[in-house]
Amino acid sequence: MIRLTMVVDEQWQTIEFASPLELNRRGLQRFHIVVSNEKYDPNLDHDLSDSAHYFDLFREANGAVVSPDVILLDNQGNEVKVTATGTTELYEGRLSVNFGMFDSASAAIPPYPEDSKYFVAARLRSNLPFEALHFRWHVDRHPDIL
């Protein structure tokens, strides 16, 4: 878990990780932005016709759709663009938007740059400001985990 509360807005912001996020090429990993589910819902709960924004956030207060962008920076300076691939309801009134280089948990291993070993930072922005409560790096599928 990356303990950092911040407002993500229209300008690119960089988060440098205290400990690098290890890249496991045998599994599928995602970068999670955790928000309050008292303020946001998955957009797909409100508009199934908007497939381009299924995994964005629906802001409860005014019905706006919040679309975050995430780029991970690796140990060699490569920029790895990740896209929203899902949302997850979490404990204690939290919701995460999950970013990865794959479309589903059954997808093939993503094509990370060959010289990537770990991620040292993330760059974030959004079409509308929102509050991120913290961030997570999570293995969603791995051959050693059933």
Side-chain angles (χ1 to χ4, degrees):
M1 180 183 312
I2 301 155
R3 296 186 186 277
L4 173 67
T5 299
M6 66 183 286
V7 173
V8 178
D9 60 23
E10 296 89 351
Q11 301 299 313
W12 283 108
Q13 301 173 66
T14 301
I15 303 168
E16 293 185 5
F17 307 131
S19 298
L21 307 181
E22 282 192 46
L23 180 59
N24 186 319
R25 292 186 184 278
R26 293 181 54 221
L28 296 178
Q29 296 163 297
R30 291 195 284 190
F31 183 77
H32 298 251
I33 300 175
V34 179
V35 300
S36 168
N37 69 359
E38 293 176 9
K39 295 180 183 177
Y40 307 99
D41 279 335
N43 190 48
L44 63 87
D45 288 355
H46 297 272
D47 188 358
L48 285 174
S49 67
D50 188 7
S51 62
H53 297 281
Y54 274 169
F55 304 122
D56 290 334
L57 297 170
F58 179 87
R59 188 180 309 233
E60 288 291 331
N62 62 7
V65 176
V66 178
S67 299
D69 291 316
V70 177
I71 295 174
L72 298 175
L73 305 170
D74 75 5
N75 55 294
Q76 298 296 319
N78 296 311
E79 292 187 352
V80 178
K81 171 93 170 113
V82 289
T83 57
T85 59
T87 55
T88 306
E89 294 284 338
L90 299 172
Y91 58 92
E92 299 174 5
R94 303 290 189 253
L95 169 72
S96 79
V97 182
N98 316 322
F99 288 83
M101 289 183 66
F102 57 94
D103 295 329
S104 73
S106 61
I109 302 303
Y112 294 113
E114 283 190 36
D115 54 353
S116 292
K117 292 186 177 23
Y118 50 86
F119 295 109
V120 297
R123 292 185 21 217
L124 300 98
R125 72 175 178 187
S126 179
N127 66 322
L128 296 169
F130 73 96
E131 182 182 25
L133 301 176
H134 63 267
F135 305 91
R136 295 176 54 218
W137 180 241
H138 188 262
V139 175
D140 291 305
R141 189 191 71 179
H142 192 276
D144 294 340
I145 301 171
L146 297 176

